[in-house]
């Protein structure tokens, strides 16, 4: 797991209640640089999210050893925070490693599964599937 995600997990453990954790997720989202308007297009939009979500891959190299990174944006602050968490989980991995990450288990460490609405959970799954799909395509 990446150091960035471990730092997020450690902070989650330190925060005592879900109100503080939600605030932290929102802060993570606010700290992300905004995605340029030109990149908010149908090709980068994630279907299956109640909010507007765009994910833009930034791949360094070619084939299975290429390094995976993405940037993202949402019109909902909590979703921007979820994008930041996914960035911590996936950014910097080789594209061949992205599909091996057990996102449900890792995000379960944060307790998110029990504290997101069904719509947010579906949107989170849609973002993970998009990330995995991009990485698998590049690795092939």
């Amino acid at each position: 797991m990446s150091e960035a995600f471990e730092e997020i997990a450690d902070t989650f453990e330190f925060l005592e209640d879900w109100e503080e954790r939600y605030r932290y997720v929102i802060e993570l989202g606010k700290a992300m640089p905004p995605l340029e308007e030109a990149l908010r297009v149908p090709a980068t939009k994630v279907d299956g999210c109640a909010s507007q979500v765009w994910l833009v891959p930034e791949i360094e190299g070619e084939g299975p050893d290429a390094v995976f990174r993405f940037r993202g944006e949402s019109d909902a602050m909590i979703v921007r925070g979820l994008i930041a968490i996914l960035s911590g989980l996936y950014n910097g991995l080789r594209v061949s490693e992205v599909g091996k990450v057990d996102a449900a288990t890792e995000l379960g460490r944060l307790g998110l599964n029990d504290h997101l609405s069904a719509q947010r959970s579906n949107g989170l799954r849609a973002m993970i599937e998009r990330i995995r799909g991009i990485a698998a395509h590049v690795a092939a």
Side-chain angles (χ1 to χ4, degrees):
M1 236 12 64
S2 76
E3 195 174 309
F5 185 77
E6 289 304 326
E7 193 173 304
I8 291 168
D10 288 348
T11 301
F12 259 76
E13 281 184 35
F14 174 76
L15 297 173
E16 293 184 14
D17 64 38
W18 270 93
E19 192 173 313
E20 290 177 338
R21 290 176 179 173
Y22 277 126
R23 259 197 306 275
Y24 176 59
V25 171
I26 290 169
E27 286 172 21
L28 288 171
K30 286 181 179 177
M32 284 191 332
L35 196 60
E36 299 84 30
E37 194 68 39
L39 296 174
R40 295 184 211 172
V41 295
T44 62
K45 190 166 186 225
V46 178
D47 294 324
C49 296
S51 307
Q52 302 278 331
V53 177
W54 299 269
L55 298 179
V56 178
E58 297 178 337
I59 310 297
E60 299 167 24
E62 293 180 14
D65 288 331
V67 176
F68 182 84
R69 293 191 193 295
F70 75 92
R71 293 187 303 136
E73 179 75 68
S74 176
D75 60 351
M77 289 312 295
I78 192 81
V79 177
R80 277 182 63 92
L82 294 175
I83 293 168
I85 289 171
L86 291 177
S87 295
L89 187 60
Y90 290 108
N91 281 355
L93 296 178
R94 289 189 181 92
V95 291
S96 59
E97 298 170 327
V98 169
K100 296 175 185 170
V101 172
D102 185 346
T105 298
E106 294 304 323
L107 296 173
R109 290 172 50 200
L110 307 181
L112 286 174
N113 308 343
D114 302 327
H115 294 277
L116 292 177
S117 68
Q119 278 188 317
R120 293 264 189 262
S121 293
N122 289 339
L124 186 59
R125 276 192 295 280
M127 288 187 280
I128 292 166
E129 286 307 309
R130 171 66 69 92
I131 288 166
R132 292 170 66 103
I134 292 166
H137 178 75
V138 173

